[in-house]
Amino acid sequence: MSSVITLDQLKPGEEAILTGISDTVSTARRLKELGFLPGTPLTCVLIKKRGETSAFDLRGTMIALRREDSSRLFARRNERRS
């Protein structure tokens, strides 16, 4: 079983399943409204500006987050089996 990480630790091409959000109520609400809900699969698509911004494919929609926000979202990496 893989350990829990934050989304800012994902590299482009890595897939994960969102497990939770750790933040204030208002920020957590905003992230949930964007679709970052526990159990949601996502893929890291792009990292820009020395890691300060990351883009994630979330149910067919690309959403960019600042590192400040992606570090508040917890996930488990999807382990690909050969």
Side-chain angles (χ1 to χ4, degrees):
M1 185 186 295
S2 60
S3 61
V4 175
I5 59 164
T6 55
L7 291 191
D8 63 321
Q9 295 175 302
L10 290 175
K11 294 179 177 44
E14 285 189 306
E15 299 174 353
I17 303 291
L18 196 66
T19 59
I21 301 173
S22 171
D23 204 353
T24 63
V25 173
S26 62
T27 302
R29 182 180 304 131
R30 182 178 64 81
L31 291 169
K32 287 177 182 177
E33 288 171 352
L34 289 171
F36 290 95
L37 301 168
T40 302
L42 56 88
T43 304
C44 180
V45 179
L46 180 70
I47 299 174
K48 293 192 78 166
K49 294 188 180 180
R50 291 181 257 164
E52 291 301 317
T53 304
S54 298
F56 301 93
D57 181 337
L58 187 72
R59 297 180 178 151
T61 301
M62 191 177 309
I63 299 175
L65 295 176
R66 295 170 294 170
R67 182 186 299 166
E68 174 183 326
D69 292 327
S70 62
S71 67
R72 295 176 173 138
L73 292 157
F74 297 97
R76 289 189 187 276
R77 283 188 176 98
N78 264 358
E79 308 261 339
R80 292 186 181 162
R81 298 175 196 236
S82 312

